[in-house]
Amino acid sequence: MDVITLGETMAMFSPDTMGKMRYASQYSRKFAGAETNVAIGLQRLGFQTGWISRVGDDEFGKGLIHFVRGEGVDVSQVQADSRAPTGLYFKEIRHEQDVYVYYYRAGSAASRMSADDIQETYIAQTKYLHITGITPALSESCFQAVMQALRFAEKYRVPVVFDPNIREKLWDSKQQARERLGQIAKQADIILPGVSEARYLFGDASLEQYAQRFMEKGASTVILKEGSKGAHFFTKDSHGFVPSYPVERVVDPIGAGDGFAAGLIAGLLEGLPLEEGVAKGNAIGAIVTTVNGDVEGLPDADELARFTQVKKGDVDR
Ligand code: KDG
C-alpha cells in the first residue's frame, strides 16, 4: 500500500438548487468523507490506497462500499455493522461562497470504530498513514482507534500525514479538540493545517510561530494552507510560499483541502521537492472547487498535467 487512511464516509446529499435548505426539495445523492476523498484522489493519480472504517449494514453502506471499491481503494478493512446506520450529510449551497454542512452521523456505524478494528499487519506494510482530525472527534472509541493506528505507525516507522480538519460541530468543546488534536500532532511527521485551524489551536501568532509550535511537537514538515491564496511550507531548514492557481468560477469549495492532501502526498510518494508537492496540492485543490461534489472533480494525472499547462498558458490543440 502507498497510503492507508481511516475515517467515516457518508451518503452525501447535495441540493440541485441553490438557496436555503428549507426550500430545497431535490437532492443528488453522492458519497463523501475526507479520508476517502484523499484516498480516491491518490488512486486517480495511480497510487494504491486502503481505507479502514465501518458502514451500516444498509443500502447506503452497500452503495458506499461499491463506490469506494470502484475507485480502486482497498476496502478489505471496512466492516458492515448491523447495529448502527451509515452516517448522512447534507449540503446547503446558499451561493458558491456560502456553503453549510449538516451532519446526521451521531451514533453512526463509523462512530463505533474501535482500536480493535486496526490490524497491525495492515499498518505495517504502508508507505504513509493519513489521519484527519475528524475521526477522533466522532467518539471516544474512534479516538482510541486513531491512537492505535498511530502506535503501529510508530512501531513500523510509517510516516504520518495529519490534516487537523477541524469540525467544531463534532467536538464536545474547544478544549477537548485542542487537547486531542495536540496529542495526535505529537505523533505526526507532516502536518497540513489551514491558517485558521492553527489559530484555533494556538491563538493569534505569526505563521512562523505556528510552524514552530507544530515542530516542537515533533513534526518535520508543516504546511499552512491559505485557501485560494496558496500554502506556506516549513521544514527545519527551509520555508516558502507557493501561490495557488486562480479559478474562474468556484462551484463547490468543499473537498479542496482533501484534494490538496492528495496532491501533496502524491508529491511525497514521487520523491518530488516539497515545493513541487505543495504546487500539486494547490492545483488539485483548485480543480476540486470547480466541480459539484467532494470527489467528482479529483483529476487523474493527465487532467492534472493539462490544468497546470493551461494555467501556464500552453494550450493543447
Ligand atoms: O473535507 C471534505 C469533508 O468535510 C466532507 O467530504 C465530509 O468528511 C466529511 C466531514 O466530516 O465533514
Side-chain angles (χ1 to χ4, degrees):
M1 284 297 159
D2 292 310
V3 180
I4 286 172
T5 187
L6 68 146
E8 177 165 35
T9 296
M10 296 163 282
M12 186 267 270
F13 292 83
S14 180
D16 294 345
T17 48
M18 273 198 256
K20 287 190 176 141
M21 193 174 174
R22 72 189 77 164
Y23 302 115
S25 52
Q26 307 276 352
Y27 287 84
S28 297
R29 200 270 297 127
K30 301 170 189 276
F31 295 112
E35 299 78 12
T36 48
N37 299 347
V38 175
I40 291 169
L42 284 158
Q43 285 291 145
R44 294 208 184 144
L45 297 174
F47 299 100
Q48 182 57 59
T49 61
W51 171 51
I52 304 168
S53 192
R54 288 195 196 195
V55 297
D57 191 8
D58 50 31
E59 284 302 313
F60 285 137
K62 291 186 205 323
L64 199 162
I65 289 189
H66 284 182
F67 175 71
V68 178
R69 184 194 285 124
E71 294 286 343
V73 178
D74 177 61
V75 295
S76 63
Q77 304 297 307
V78 182
Q79 299 174 48
D81 185 332
S82 57
R83 283 174 296 179
T86 301
L88 310 180
Y89 110 83
F90 287 74
K91 273 186 195 173
E92 178 182 42
I93 307 185
R94 293 201 181 177
H95 61 77
E96 294 90 342
Q97 312 290 347
D98 194 18
V99 179
Y100 298 80
V101 159
Y102 301 98
Y103 296 130
Y104 294 81
R105 67 198 294 189
S108 68
S111 75
R112 292 160 49 82
M113 258 189 295
S114 73
D116 291 340
D117 293 2
I118 313 298
Q119 297 298 322
E120 183 166 349
T121 50
Y122 198 62
I123 304 288
Q125 46 79 46
T126 186
K127 293 185 190 143
Y128 285 93
L129 175 68
H130 168 256
I131 296 288
T132 77
I134 301 173
T135 315
L138 298 177
S139 66
E140 179 60 32
S141 67
C142 281
F143 173 66
Q144 295 305 335
V146 168
M147 296 313 287
Q148 179 73 300
L150 290 170
R151 274 190 291 277
F152 290 146
E154 188 176 16
K155 180 168 171 188
Y156 295 99
R157 296 172 192 269
V158 173
V160 175
V161 180
F162 175 45
D163 186 341
N165 256 317
I166 296 173
R167 302 285 182 265
E168 276 198 275
K169 286 179 182 170
L170 300 178
W171 289 103
D172 291 343
S173 65
K174 192 168 184 171
Q175 191 195 345
Q176 187 199 38
R178 281 181 166 170
E179 274 171 22
R180 297 211 152 173
L181 295 172
Q183 259 178 283
I184 295 168
K186 277 192 197 149
Q187 303 296 315
D189 300 282
I190 298 144
I191 308 194
L192 318 175
V195 172
S196 58
E197 292 179 321
R199 192 174 306 118
Y200 182 94
L201 293 173
F202 301 125
D204 282 330
S206 68
L207 297 179
E208 289 71 20
Q209 285 167 326
Y210 290 141
Q212 200 179 340
R213 296 290 295 274
F214 284 116
M215 284 184 182
E216 280 162 8
K217 290 185 187 291
S220 62
T221 304
V222 179
I223 297 171
L224 291 164
K225 298 174 288 181
E226 252 193 318
S228 57
K229 287 189 193 155
H232 307 262
F233 61 89
F234 298 85
T235 67
K236 195 161 55 67
D237 24 53
S238 72
H239 69 271
F241 174 72
V242 184
S244 193
Y245 294 85
V247 163
E248 282 81 52
R249 183 164 166 252
V250 171
V251 173
D252 176 1
I254 295 185
D258 304 327
F260 180 91
L264 189 270
I265 298 172
L268 296 171
L269 287 162
E270 288 163 2
L272 296 180
L274 183 58
E275 210 166 330
E276 286 178 36
V278 175
K280 212 183 252 280
N282 281 341
I284 299 181
I287 296 171
V288 167
T289 66
T290 63
V291 178
N292 186 277
D294 301 4
V295 294
E296 284 73 1
L298 289 162
D300 62 24
D302 287 347
E303 287 164 339
L304 178 60
R306 185 169 154 68
F307 175 82
T308 47
Q309 267 167 18
V310 169
K311 291 292 172 192
K312 271 195 288 177
D314 305 344
V315 181
D316 182 10
R317 291 179 208 273

